Amino acid sequence: MSLTTCEPPAVSVVIPVRNEARHIEACLRNVLAFESPTGAFEVIIADGRSDDDTRGIIERIAQRDPRVRLVDNPERTTPCGLNAAIKAAKANVILRIDAHTVYAPDYLRRCLEVQAVTGADNVGGPWVAQGETYLQKAIAAAFRCPLTSGGARSHDVSHEGPVDSVYLGCWPREVFDRIGLFDQEFVRNQDDELNYRMLQTGHRIWQSPRIRSWYTPRNSLGALFRQYFQYGYWKIRVMQKHGKPASPRHLVPCVFVSMVLTLAATAPLQHLSRILLLGAMGVYGLALATAAAMTAAESEWSLLPILPLVVACYHVSYGLGSLFGVWDFLIRRRSRGRFVALTRG
């Protein structure tokens, strides 16, 4: 259904981007092909001053399809882009889209259906990773592993019900009127912080497997490490702001990495530390091997050789990031983070 100047849209789809020339056209083709609700929908892309042809691609598509609008995001971060798009939105429902995710044709319609049936204030589907290269497939397989996710419901493809956070999100506009927009300080974890605020103010968050999408993970261990390092770092800022963790599982990687580093530092001086360090690494190695075998059995056995390294990368990067966060936010009492992400979330 086309959007004309005479009919306000039913849904505003918001997409923050920066330097996404390789992905934005495919993303917009996917989104513009959504099954349209009554009243149609608009698509607002907030571009963070891209250095490539992202803006040109969006402008060319906007010339052909009046549903597409481009707004500027001079701060270049994800929360600033989301807020700029939400402020420009005309609809009473806001749907967030990520440029590195593929969506089912009924994605938008299902979000509205689940919202109407449950009365939830934020709805979304499970966070499902799907890789293309060998390493991406391994990262995606490890993403589903309970040892990696800590049993988070957002990774459970069959879970239907309340959650503490949901992938992306679909909100009635009035939610932002009540609790405010995304906190622009959180260049990572801005969705976690918003969802925490929602729960603290009595709002409901709902996940449904009927809302289907497939996230494309990073394609190198270095990129994965940087991503989860920043997730761990900014999770501590969320805890600092709200006074407690959303879930105890968020602290496990930090505690584990702290323990290993402490034992490694004292091992040259204390025999007991050497024994404890060897024991801890032995148990962890066994856990990695078991998790890798179980994950390979559920996905592809060819991934088995690299899966222990991938799972460890998730843990170590998140744990180290959390340690830096503890130093900055809990010990030094900083109110602003040192790590700024100007690219994909």
Side-chain angles (χ1 to χ4, degrees):
M1 180 184 296
S2 298
L3 182 67
T4 69
T5 56
C6 298
E7 52 182 13
V11 179
S12 292
V13 177
V14 298
I15 313 175
V17 298
R18 182 174 185 271
N19 292 341
E20 295 291 359
R22 293 179 55 193
H23 303 98
I24 189 59
E25 186 170 359
C27 173
L28 287 176
R29 282 202 306 267
N30 187 182
V31 170
L32 292 171
F34 280 165
E35 296 173 7
S36 183
T38 302
F41 63 93
E42 65 175 352
V43 181
I44 305 172
I45 306 102
D47 178 59
R49 302 286 174 89
S50 293
D51 301 319
D52 59 11
D53 193 36
T54 299
R55 184 177 291 260
I57 294 170
I58 297 169
E59 290 173 341
R60 289 191 290 272
I61 294 174
Q63 289 177 355
R64 301 193 302 267
D65 195 317
R67 292 176 294 177
V68 177
R69 282 195 288 144
L70 176 66
V71 297
D72 193 32
N73 172 22
E75 290 83 6
R76 302 184 295 167
T77 64
T78 298
C80 291
L82 286 167
N83 289 346
I86 292 169
K87 291 175 182 177
K90 298 177 180 177
N92 290 324
V93 175
I94 306 295
L95 177 73
R96 178 180 176 179
I97 289 293
D98 173 71
H100 293 263
T101 299
V102 177
Y103 306 87
D106 63 354
Y107 184 86
L108 189 158
R109 179 171 61 84
R110 292 296 187 184
C111 284
L112 297 181
E113 285 181 0
V114 172
Q115 198 173 71
V117 170
T118 64
D121 302 289
N122 185 12
V123 302
W127 194 2
V128 180
Q130 181 173 278
E132 298 177 357
T133 67
Y134 176 80
L135 182 57
Q136 280 182 323
K137 290 179 181 179
I139 292 173
F143 190 75
R144 298 189 294 271
C145 174
L147 186 64
T148 303
S149 67
R153 288 177 175 175
S154 61
H155 294 238
D156 184 350
V157 297
S158 62
H159 176 71
E160 172 97 36
V163 288
D164 55 18
S165 187
V166 72
Y167 183 53
L168 301 178
C170 180
W171 308 263
R173 176 73 173 257
E174 61 188 23
V175 168
F176 298 105
D177 296 334
R178 289 195 294 263
I179 69 170
L181 296 170
F182 287 92
D183 188 327
Q184 296 186 170
E185 179 197 340
F186 288 83
V187 295
R188 295 280 194 225
N189 299 66
Q190 66 279 157
D191 48 352
D192 286 346
E193 194 282 326
L194 178 75
N195 284 320
Y196 197 104
R197 247 188 296 150
M198 291 183 65
L199 293 176
Q200 294 297 102
T201 50
H203 294 80
R204 296 174 67 223
I205 305 169
W206 193 276
Q207 178 174 301
S208 173
R210 289 172 286 171
I211 302 171
R212 299 172 298 146
S213 66
W214 301 269
Y215 166 77
T216 303
R218 301 307 199 266
N219 195 28
S220 74
L221 288 178
L224 179 67
F225 187 96
R226 290 188 294 273
Q227 177 189 15
Y228 274 80
F229 181 94
Q230 293 200 23
Y231 283 165
Y233 180 81
W234 286 102
K235 182 66 74 174
I236 301 300
R237 175 66 181 108
V238 175
M239 296 179 192
Q240 181 202 37
K241 179 177 178 179
H242 295 285
K244 61 180 180 179
S247 171
R249 70 173 182 273
H250 298 146
L251 300 175
V252 174
C254 181
V255 172
F256 172 72
V257 171
S258 298
M259 179 190 70
V260 171
L261 290 177
T262 301
L263 291 174
T266 58
L269 305 175
Q270 296 183 2
H271 180 64
L272 179 59
S273 293
R274 290 195 291 273
I275 294 175
L276 292 175
L277 178 62
L278 289 174
M281 297 313 296
V283 171
Y284 183 60
L286 180 61
L288 285 179
T290 302
M294 294 176 61
T295 302
E298 294 178 358
S299 52
E300 299 179 30
W301 280 107
S302 64
L303 303 176
L304 182 61
I306 199 171
L307 277 172
L309 183 60
V310 172
V311 174
C313 184
Y314 275 107
H315 294 158
V316 175
S317 59
Y318 195 99
L320 284 174
S322 297
L323 279 180
F324 271 84
V326 167
W327 172 254
D328 276 355
F329 299 124
L330 302 186
I331 297 176
R332 297 183 62 196
R333 310 301 298 177
R334 291 173 61 127
S335 60
R336 298 189 65 83
R338 71 171 90 180
F339 299 104
V340 178
L342 300 178
T343 54
R344 62 177 286 190

